[in-house]
Amino acid sequence: MTSPSQPTLAGHFLIAMPSLAEPPFCRGVAFVCQHDEDGAVGLLINQLSEYRLGDVLAQMKLGCSDADLADAPVLIGGPVQQERGFVLHREHGHWESSYRINDDWSVTTSRDILVAMAAGEGPRLAMMALGYAGWSAGQLEQELKDNAWLTVEASERVVFHTPLEERWSAAAGLVGVDPLQLLGYAGHA
């Protein structure tokens, strides 16, 4: 864990600057799940996969009678371990493999949360992603120095109530900037 003297970006958005032009980070918004001296782990919250939650539940042989839940998009969380599922959610639960990001957010990787969701007993606000984005020790800090990302505290509104194609602009709006007005390069005095 992060020592009290070291700031953490867990629970924050990383908003890709125009200089990050390669997929999957081009116009990406990453939710930072863990950040400490060993590196960082995040989930992209605005990159659509080809799957719906119903597809994932069916693959796991779980029935789901809630049509809206079955039609929920599954996102591409990042380029690492894209066969692994992550559920980002607000309510903390007692899931087998859950990590409490902060007082408001958790991420769970165990099957039991999907069983609960399919039965209508899961977290009220949840998003599923396949794969994650990872940064080694010091890598994210260097990318921040290189002006590759804007940072801001994560917003429930952006994660759960903003259409995918608007999340990059909406997240940047939390910082008070229009990302389309930003230059694709950094200047240093």
Side-chain angles (χ1 to χ4, degrees), residues 13-17 20 28-30 148-152 168 171-175 179:
F13 288 145
L14 298 177
I15 306 153
M17 294 289 283
L20 281 175
V29 179
W149 303 98
L150 291 172
T151 63
V152 68
W168 183 61
L174 296 172
V175 184

Side-chain angles (χ1 to χ4, degrees), residues 110-127:
S110 50
R111 183 180 199 274
D112 60 340
I113 194 168
L114 294 175
V115 171
M117 290 169 69
E121 300 168 358
R124 186 178 55 83
L125 295 173
M127 176 209 81

Side-chain angles (χ1 to χ4, degrees), residues 4-187:
S5 62
Q6 181 175 342
T8 180
L9 290 174
H12 285 71
F13 288 145
L14 298 177
I15 306 153
M17 294 289 283
S19 60
L20 281 175
E22 295 298 317
F25 298 110
C26 179
R27 289 189 171 203
V29 179
F31 183 104
V32 180
C33 298
Q34 186 174 12
H35 178 226
D36 58 28
E37 64 276 356
D38 296 324
V41 172
L43 299 173
L44 291 169
I45 63 157
N46 67 331
Q47 306 292 328
L48 186 62
S49 80
E50 62 188 88
Y51 303 106
R52 306 308 269 180
L53 188 54
D55 300 326
V56 173
L57 295 174
Q59 184 179 28
M60 299 178 74
K61 300 188 181 354
L62 296 173
C64 179
S65 60
D66 182 337
D68 289 335
L69 181 68
D71 194 44
V74 174
L75 304 181
I76 298 170
V80 182
Q81 292 187 356
Q82 290 191 331
E83 71 285 351
R84 187 170 179 200
F86 297 82
V87 178
L88 178 65
H89 53 97
R90 293 288 287 183
E91 296 93 32
H92 305 298
H94 300 288
W95 318 112
E96 289 175 22
S97 183
S98 194
Y99 176 77
R100 191 174 199 157
I101 297 165
N102 59 27
D103 289 341
D104 299 318
W105 297 91
S106 290
V107 64
T108 300
T109 59
S110 50
R111 183 180 199 274
D112 60 340
I113 194 168
L114 294 175
V115 171
M117 290 169 69
E121 300 168 358
R124 186 178 55 83
L125 295 173
M127 176 209 81
M128 182 171 189
L130 297 174
Y132 68 92
W135 293 265
S136 59
Q139 182 182 2
L140 180 56
E141 290 76 7
Q142 186 58 52
E143 289 181 13
L144 290 168
K145 287 178 187 174
D146 293 341
N147 294 319
W149 303 98
L150 291 172
T151 63
V152 68
E153 187 172 344
S155 159
E156 174 184 311
R157 179 183 54 80
V158 173
V159 174
F160 299 116
H161 306 294
T162 301
L164 287 175
E165 64 276 4
E166 296 173 19
R167 290 182 184 177
W168 183 61
S169 295
L174 296 172
V175 184
V177 299
D178 177 354
L180 299 177
Q181 300 296 318
L182 296 172
L183 298 174
Y185 60 88

